[in-house]
Amino acid sequence: MPKISQSERILQFIKEKGSITRLQAANEIGAFELSARIVELEREGYLFLKEPIKVKNRYGDTVRVMRYSLFGE
């Protein structure tokens, strides 16, 4: 059985959930370099909407993260 790459897991997650943030990528997929995987996927021809959003971190501070979703889906 072939191993699934992080990029493939990220694509699958976005298709199932609609979008992904770096926090979700790290916690649910184990991908700690989401932006690098997004760049790889863009080189393969995928287009992403990139939306900065505000979320609370574990200390209750508001921080900005990028939310990625597939363009046109």
Side-chain angles (χ1 to χ4, degrees):
M1 182 175 227
K3 183 179 176 186
I4 297 173
S5 70
Q6 285 186 353
S7 295
E8 291 169 322
R9 289 183 196 275
I10 289 165
L11 258 182
Q12 182 180 17
F13 186 94
I14 293 172
K15 288 178 180 179
E16 290 174 5
K17 308 279 184 168
S19 65
I20 194 168
T21 67
R22 65 182 178 160
L23 301 173
Q24 291 171 311
N27 291 334
E28 299 186 38
I29 298 173
F32 292 93
E33 296 290 336
L34 177 61
S35 59
R37 302 297 79 80
I38 294 294
V39 168
E40 290 172 359
L41 290 165
E42 288 175 328
R43 287 184 184 147
E44 291 179 22
Y46 291 96
L47 298 174
F48 292 91
L49 292 174
K50 300 170 186 176
E51 176 186 11
I53 61 169
K54 293 179 182 179
V55 298
K56 297 275 186 185
N57 66 13
R58 64 181 169 179
Y59 303 107
D61 301 325
T62 300
V63 296
R64 297 179 94 183
V65 297
M66 196 66 68
R67 178 170 47 202
Y68 299 92
S69 58
L70 283 170
F71 183 77
E73 290 196 19

